[in-house]
Amino acid sequence: MKFAIVARRKWFFMLSGTITVAGLIVLLIFGLNLGTDFKSGSQVQIVLNQPYNAVAIRSMFEKHGFAVGPEGITAGGTNNEMAIVRLSYPLTNLQEGKLNTAIHATFPKALVPPEYSTVDPIIAQEQSQTAVLAVLLASLGIVIYVAIRFEFRFAVAGIVALMHDAFIVISVFALLRIEVDLPFIAAVLTIVGYSINDTIVIFDRIRENVKGAKIKTFQELEALVDHSLWQTMARSINTVLTVLFAAMSLFFFGGDPIHDFCFALLVGLISGAYSSIFIASPIWVTWRGRSLARGRDAAVKA
């Protein structure tokens, strides 16, 4: 069943605009749940070798003077035999020794010492700046490539769709209070790469169809882009479904360390497939259509 996609662009723009505004509100109210990669602190990964008990773990930490935030303890491992404790302050060597003794006394079966990961404030700030720079450089590289390979309007439409996808993932993580760490940045960059690939395939088909076509009206341009979108629709759906199946397998069976990474991929892949079809191309049509109107007005005046 085929339907006019571009003619309904206002509905798709309104949907994306609503999601964006909702995401901004969520970010302003809740902010991001930054992990120790982006703010100073320590992470203690304890292999308990016994059933996970968050209350007992929290009690042990607080009994020995280590404050733990409300969302600071999570279970890990395939059978929840691991506890991951995130502290908002870096531990010193002396404190780690004190904690080793406390863990051994409270959980005799646990592996001691546990695995410590500590990030000081300077490194956390550097990593935050590097992460933002990585996303910006990736976006700039895409704009330059698409502008050279196609045209500037395609580049802008593509980058708007990419920013849409990245923002959707960030908003979902903010709303669900999922920790943002370096694997999350890797997931966002992966989504950016995948989404622009799908968008370029559609743009390439539009460009091929535009060649030789004598487009005089906005309606003809809409029809041509709709035709191009439906020509690539099966390819777009089949590709995203294939990648989604792989990401879902990793999400359910890949284990706790890559769980959040896979979740970000799942959200980004769905958003990327949507924006490639319903956002990027309609933006280009809207912009290109204005050029048609200006050209027609100039011809009438002449």
Side-chain angles (χ1 to χ4, degrees), residues 16 19-20 163-173 267-268 271:
S16 292
I19 295 173
T20 301
M163 294 298 103
H164 167 276
D165 302 336
F167 191 76
I168 295 295
V169 178
I170 292 171
S171 300
V172 170
F173 267 59
V267 175
S271 175

Side-chain angles (χ1 to χ4, degrees), residues 24 26 34 37 59 61 74 105 129-130 146 152 154 163 214 223 236 261 270 274 297:
L24 278 173
V26 168
L34 297 176
D37 290 334
S59 174
F61 271 78
T74 55
Q129 294 171 348
T130 304
V146 178
F152 186 66
F154 277 124
M163 294 298 103
K214 297 179 180 178
S236 297
F261 172 82
I270 295 170
Y274 163 77
D297 294 342

Side-chain angles (χ1 to χ4, degrees), residues 120-153:
D120 64 38
I122 296 176
I123 293 178
Q125 185 178 10
E126 288 178 352
Q127 291 190 153
S128 300
Q129 294 171 348
T130 304
V132 173
L133 185 63
V135 175
L136 291 178
L137 285 177
S139 302
L140 179 63
I142 290 168
V143 168
I144 293 173
Y145 170 75
V146 178
I148 294 173
R149 184 74 174 80
F150 295 88
E151 63 171 85
F152 186 66
R153 281 177 292 225

Side-chain angles (χ1 to χ4, degrees), residues 231-248:
Q231 280 183 317
T232 57
M233 187 66 74
R235 181 265 178 203
S236 297
I237 293 174
N238 290 337
T239 302
V240 73
L241 284 178
T242 304
V243 183
L244 272 177
F245 288 144
M248 287 175 68

